[in-house]
Amino acid sequence: MASRCLVTTGFEDECREIHDACNQPRRLSVLLAHRSPSERQKIKATYRTVFGEDLAGEVQKILMVNQEDELCKLLYLWVLDPSERDAIMARDAVENGGATDYRVLVEIFTRRKQNQLFFTNQAYLARFKKNLEQDMVTEPSHPYQRLLVALATSHKSHHDELSRHIAKCDARRLYDAKNSGMGSVDEAVILEMFSKRSIPQLRLAFCSYKHIYGHDYTKALKKNGFGEFEQSLRVVVKCIYNPSMYFSKLLHRSLQCSATNKRLVTRAILGSDDVDMDKIKSVFKSSYGKDLEDFILESLPENDYRDFLLGAAKGSRAS
């Protein structure tokens, strides 16, 4: 009975191929890079049923003997559950040479739902025996940190259905907060709003702002000076308001410096995979006048890492 059920998933044959290739990173990347998040979850479930083993655990064994290999690092993160992947990336961000890489944390906190962040926090605690939200707190506090704490508070609170009325009111509060006559945004107003609104509700507020005032809120922040809080707020707003544009730009920037910073390329491709690769490819083509796959070919030397990125960018051709 179990065997018949497995056949209907459509991944039993793929799992056998993956099992045979478990000590061959290049072959594994060919088999897995083009798979969507939902397909990878089904493959992992089928793999565990067929072989009684965790696929991520098998890939981790390859990483243990190839710890400096960027393909192995990417492949391992690719097959992890999102919460486990986020936990590892958050820890790397916190331990970033003594200077927390807050943008990584912003990307995690703005693209995950409340229940997903709960599992990320649990995975972080289980792996590192530390509390993620406590690890984010530094002295003196950084504007990114204050925004992240507000978002973390928001994720814990109860939220009703999206409200256009609240979004319009929030849009006007955003406008008033940047026109307080003090030459900078009223930080207290922003932090209060971020602590009480869900990510979708904040996104609706930014949409309302553009509808009412005729320009993006990020442009208003740019005009209003370049203080540290405003700079941090602009990045957070971009992640919330238009994640496809944000990750399209991150991919473009990371590929331009790919020779010296593959960590940034890995972060960009993983974030893009979480958001929506097809949307990001469309935005990339509109913004830069070329296909993402072509830009990857131009930017990276021919190797297994580049082949993985190409596979991820092309995605699954299955219907």
Side-chain angles (χ1 to χ4, degrees), residues 12-44:
E12 190 176 23
D13 290 340
E14 286 86 344
C15 285
R16 291 197 179 98
E17 284 190 83
I18 290 168
H19 186 265
D20 291 342
C22 257
N23 61 346
Q24 305 170 51
R26 183 176 185 278
R27 179 61 183 154
L28 276 178
S29 68
V30 171
L31 294 169
L32 291 168
H34 66 287
R35 294 296 183 181
S36 68
S38 62
E39 287 175 328
R40 297 199 301 275
Q41 291 302 313
K42 291 174 185 176
I43 286 171
K44 287 175 63 179

Side-chain angles (χ1 to χ4, degrees), residues 50-277:
V50 174
F51 299 106
E53 299 168 340
D54 175 40
L55 178 56
E58 295 303 300
V59 176
Q60 186 178 25
K61 292 176 184 176
I62 302 174
L63 178 61
M64 293 301 290
V65 296
N66 299 276
Q67 294 189 25
E68 300 305 315
D69 187 286
E70 205 61 41
L71 173 64
C72 292
K73 292 178 186 177
L74 175 53
L75 187 58
Y76 177 53
L77 292 169
W78 193 250
V79 298
L80 283 174
D81 289 340
S83 59
E84 296 286 342
R85 178 199 299 176
D86 286 349
I88 291 174
M89 296 184 73
R91 186 62 182 170
D92 286 346
V94 168
E95 291 186 325
N96 184 43
T100 301
D101 189 343
Y102 286 108
R103 288 197 180 205
V104 175
L105 299 175
V106 168
E107 290 161 16
I108 292 171
F109 272 70
T110 55
R111 74 173 183 258
R112 296 300 185 208
K113 297 178 181 178
Q114 178 181 352
N115 63 329
Q116 293 173 320
L117 274 181
F118 171 81
F119 288 116
T120 294
N121 286 323
Q122 292 298 305
Y124 191 95
L125 181 64
R127 277 182 175 268
F128 307 113
K129 306 299 183 284
K130 291 179 178 289
N131 181 285
L132 173 56
E133 291 178 21
Q134 290 178 359
D135 276 355
M136 291 190 314
V137 177
T138 59
E139 293 295 340
S141 69
H142 190 283
Y144 273 128
Q145 174 198 313
R146 299 195 290 277
L147 288 162
L148 284 164
V149 169
L151 288 174
T153 303
S154 170
H155 275 293
K156 293 174 183 175
S157 60
H158 173 74
H159 298 292
D160 296 319
E161 294 296 319
L162 292 180
S163 167
R164 293 192 177 278
H165 173 70
I166 291 176
K168 290 177 182 178
C169 291
D170 284 346
R172 293 188 173 93
R173 290 180 69 203
L174 289 169
Y175 183 84
D176 291 341
K178 76 174 180 62
N179 286 279
S180 59
M182 300 180 66
S184 62
V185 168
D186 189 333
E187 182 174 333
V189 172
I190 300 299
L191 295 180
E192 180 192 15
M193 186 183 299
F194 275 41
S195 68
K196 293 182 177 179
R197 304 287 186 254
S198 67
I199 296 297
Q201 185 65 51
L202 286 172
R203 186 177 296 122
L204 189 58
F206 299 138
C207 289
S208 294
Y209 184 98
K210 183 172 184 178
H211 179 74
I212 295 170
Y213 300 109
H215 58 265
D216 290 338
Y217 182 56
T218 52
K219 289 187 177 180
L221 290 173
K222 194 171 183 179
K223 293 176 183 176
N224 208 52
F226 293 90
E228 197 171 27
F229 182 78
E230 287 78 14
Q231 289 180 359
S232 302
L233 179 58
R234 285 186 73 227
V235 173
V236 176
V237 172
K238 286 178 181 179
C239 280
I240 294 173
Y241 179 52
N242 195 342
S244 296
M245 178 62 76
Y246 176 89
F247 280 101
S248 172
K249 289 183 177 180
L250 184 62
L251 275 168
H252 187 262
R253 178 164 60 91
S254 68
L255 288 165
Q256 286 182 315
C257 63
S258 58
T260 57
N261 195 350
K262 291 232 175 22
R263 179 174 175 268
L264 186 60
V265 180
T266 293
R267 169 182 141 203
I269 203 73
L270 291 171
S272 299
D273 176 65
D274 278 332
V275 172
D276 188 321
M277 187 63 78

